[in-house]
Short mmCIF file of all heavy atoms in Angstrom, two decimals:
data_model
loop_
_atom_site.label_atom_id
_atom_site.label_comp_id
_atom_site.label_asym_id
_atom_site.label_seq_id
_atom_site.Cartn_x
_atom_site.Cartn_y
_atom_site.Cartn_z
N LEU A 280 16.12 -17.47 -26.18
CA LEU A 280 15.25 -18.59 -25.96
C LEU A 280 16.07 -19.81 -25.60
O LEU A 280 15.71 -20.65 -24.77
CB LEU A 280 14.31 -18.77 -27.09
CG LEU A 280 13.07 -17.92 -27.26
CD1 LEU A 280 12.43 -18.17 -28.63
CD2 LEU A 280 12.16 -18.10 -26.10
N HIS A 281 17.12 -20.03 -26.41
CA HIS A 281 17.97 -21.18 -26.14
C HIS A 281 18.64 -21.09 -24.80
O HIS A 281 18.68 -22.14 -24.13
CB HIS A 281 19.05 -21.34 -27.27
CG HIS A 281 18.48 -21.85 -28.57
ND1 HIS A 281 18.25 -23.17 -28.77
CD2 HIS A 281 18.16 -21.20 -29.74
CE1 HIS A 281 17.80 -23.35 -30.04
NE2 HIS A 281 17.74 -22.19 -30.56
N SER A 282 19.14 -19.96 -24.47
CA SER A 282 19.83 -19.84 -23.13
C SER A 282 18.76 -19.97 -21.96
O SER A 282 19.05 -20.64 -20.96
CB SER A 282 20.55 -18.46 -23.02
OG SER A 282 19.68 -17.39 -23.05
N ARG A 283 17.58 -19.43 -22.10
CA ARG A 283 16.61 -19.53 -21.09
C ARG A 283 16.13 -21.07 -20.98
O ARG A 283 15.86 -21.47 -19.85
CB ARG A 283 15.34 -18.66 -21.43
CG ARG A 283 14.39 -18.51 -20.32
CD ARG A 283 14.95 -17.79 -19.02
NE ARG A 283 15.69 -16.59 -19.34
CZ ARG A 283 15.24 -15.40 -19.11
NH1 ARG A 283 14.11 -15.13 -18.63
NH2 ARG A 283 16.05 -14.36 -19.40
N LEU A 284 16.00 -21.73 -22.09
CA LEU A 284 15.66 -23.16 -22.06
C LEU A 284 16.78 -24.00 -21.31
O LEU A 284 16.50 -24.90 -20.57
CB LEU A 284 15.40 -23.66 -23.51
CG LEU A 284 15.01 -25.17 -23.53
CD1 LEU A 284 13.67 -25.45 -22.78
CD2 LEU A 284 14.85 -25.53 -25.02
N ALA A 285 18.03 -23.67 -21.63
CA ALA A 285 19.13 -24.42 -20.94
C ALA A 285 19.05 -24.08 -19.50
O ALA A 285 19.26 -25.04 -18.65
CB ALA A 285 20.42 -23.87 -21.52
N TRP A 286 18.74 -22.85 -19.11
CA TRP A 286 18.61 -22.52 -17.68
C TRP A 286 17.44 -23.27 -16.97
O TRP A 286 17.62 -23.84 -15.96
CB TRP A 286 18.46 -21.06 -17.51
CG TRP A 286 18.26 -20.56 -16.09
CD1 TRP A 286 17.13 -19.97 -15.57
CD2 TRP A 286 19.23 -20.61 -14.99
NE1 TRP A 286 17.38 -19.65 -14.28
CE2 TRP A 286 18.61 -20.10 -13.90
CE3 TRP A 286 20.54 -21.11 -14.91
CZ2 TRP A 286 19.24 -19.96 -12.68
CZ3 TRP A 286 21.11 -21.09 -13.73
CH2 TRP A 286 20.49 -20.48 -12.59
N ALA A 287 16.35 -23.45 -17.74
CA ALA A 287 15.16 -24.10 -17.20
C ALA A 287 15.51 -25.57 -17.03
O ALA A 287 15.12 -26.18 -15.98
CB ALA A 287 14.01 -23.92 -18.12
N PHE A 288 16.24 -26.20 -18.03
CA PHE A 288 16.70 -27.55 -17.81
C PHE A 288 17.60 -27.72 -16.59
O PHE A 288 17.52 -28.71 -15.82
CB PHE A 288 17.36 -28.13 -19.09
CG PHE A 288 16.43 -28.54 -20.18
CD1 PHE A 288 16.55 -28.08 -21.49
CD2 PHE A 288 15.40 -29.36 -19.89
CE1 PHE A 288 15.70 -28.49 -22.44
CE2 PHE A 288 14.48 -29.78 -20.92
CZ PHE A 288 14.71 -29.42 -22.19
N HIS A 289 18.49 -26.80 -16.42
CA HIS A 289 19.44 -26.76 -15.28
C HIS A 289 18.62 -26.71 -13.97
O HIS A 289 18.89 -27.46 -13.03
CB HIS A 289 20.32 -25.56 -15.40
CG HIS A 289 21.22 -25.40 -14.09
ND1 HIS A 289 22.24 -26.17 -13.77
CD2 HIS A 289 21.08 -24.46 -13.12
CE1 HIS A 289 22.75 -25.79 -12.60
NE2 HIS A 289 22.01 -24.72 -12.24
N LEU A 290 17.64 -25.79 -13.88
CA LEU A 290 16.82 -25.74 -12.69
C LEU A 290 16.02 -26.98 -12.40
O LEU A 290 15.74 -27.27 -11.24
CB LEU A 290 15.88 -24.51 -12.85
CG LEU A 290 16.56 -23.13 -12.75
CD1 LEU A 290 15.52 -22.04 -13.05
CD2 LEU A 290 17.32 -22.92 -11.47
N GLU A 291 15.61 -27.74 -13.47
CA GLU A 291 14.86 -28.91 -13.26
C GLU A 291 15.81 -30.13 -13.03
O GLU A 291 15.41 -31.29 -13.03
CB GLU A 291 13.97 -29.19 -14.48
CG GLU A 291 12.93 -30.26 -14.16
CD GLU A 291 11.92 -30.44 -15.28
OE1 GLU A 291 12.38 -30.65 -16.43
OE2 GLU A 291 10.72 -30.41 -15.03
N ALA A 292 17.11 -29.89 -12.95
CA ALA A 292 18.16 -30.92 -12.67
C ALA A 292 18.31 -31.87 -13.80
O ALA A 292 18.60 -33.01 -13.66
CB ALA A 292 17.83 -31.64 -11.40
N GLN A 293 18.09 -31.36 -15.05
CA GLN A 293 18.40 -32.13 -16.24
C GLN A 293 19.70 -31.62 -16.88
O GLN A 293 19.72 -30.93 -17.92
CB GLN A 293 17.23 -32.03 -17.22
CG GLN A 293 15.92 -32.65 -16.70
CD GLN A 293 14.88 -32.63 -17.89
OE1 GLN A 293 15.18 -32.87 -18.98
NE2 GLN A 293 13.59 -32.40 -17.45
N ALA A 294 20.79 -31.99 -16.22
CA ALA A 294 21.99 -31.39 -16.61
C ALA A 294 22.43 -31.71 -17.99
O ALA A 294 23.00 -30.81 -18.72
CB ALA A 294 23.18 -31.92 -15.62
N GLU A 295 22.18 -32.94 -18.46
CA GLU A 295 22.61 -33.25 -19.89
C GLU A 295 21.83 -32.44 -20.88
O GLU A 295 22.44 -31.91 -21.84
CB GLU A 295 22.31 -34.76 -20.11
CG GLU A 295 23.24 -35.68 -19.33
CD GLU A 295 22.85 -37.19 -19.51
OE1 GLU A 295 22.09 -37.53 -20.43
OE2 GLU A 295 23.35 -38.00 -18.76
N LYS A 296 20.56 -32.25 -20.69
CA LYS A 296 19.86 -31.41 -21.61
C LYS A 296 20.27 -29.94 -21.49
O LYS A 296 20.23 -29.23 -22.49
CB LYS A 296 18.30 -31.54 -21.37
CG LYS A 296 17.80 -32.82 -21.79
CD LYS A 296 16.22 -32.87 -21.69
CE LYS A 296 15.71 -34.17 -22.20
NZ LYS A 296 14.18 -34.11 -22.10
N SER A 297 20.57 -29.55 -20.30
CA SER A 297 21.01 -28.18 -20.13
C SER A 297 22.29 -27.93 -20.89
O SER A 297 22.46 -26.89 -21.61
CB SER A 297 21.25 -27.80 -18.62
OG SER A 297 21.69 -26.52 -18.43
N VAL A 298 23.28 -28.81 -20.74
CA VAL A 298 24.57 -28.70 -21.36
C VAL A 298 24.43 -28.81 -22.91
O VAL A 298 25.03 -28.06 -23.66
CB VAL A 298 25.60 -29.75 -20.84
CG1 VAL A 298 26.84 -29.80 -21.66
CG2 VAL A 298 25.90 -29.49 -19.41
N GLU A 299 23.58 -29.69 -23.35
CA GLU A 299 23.23 -29.84 -24.76
C GLU A 299 22.68 -28.52 -25.29
O GLU A 299 23.06 -28.06 -26.44
CB GLU A 299 22.20 -30.96 -24.94
CG GLU A 299 21.83 -31.18 -26.38
CD GLU A 299 20.77 -32.31 -26.50
OE1 GLU A 299 20.87 -33.29 -25.78
OE2 GLU A 299 19.83 -32.11 -27.29
N GLY A 300 21.77 -27.93 -24.51
CA GLY A 300 21.27 -26.61 -24.93
C GLY A 300 22.29 -25.54 -25.06
O GLY A 300 22.21 -24.67 -25.90
#
Side-chain angles (χ1 to χ4, degrees):
L280 282 172
H281 284 283
S282 65
R283 192 62 51 104
L284 181 59
W286 178 244
F288 279 131
H289 170 76
L290 292 173
E291 195 174 51
Q293 294 189 38
E295 291 176 15
K296 286 186 177 183
S297 178
V298 171
E299 180 184 318

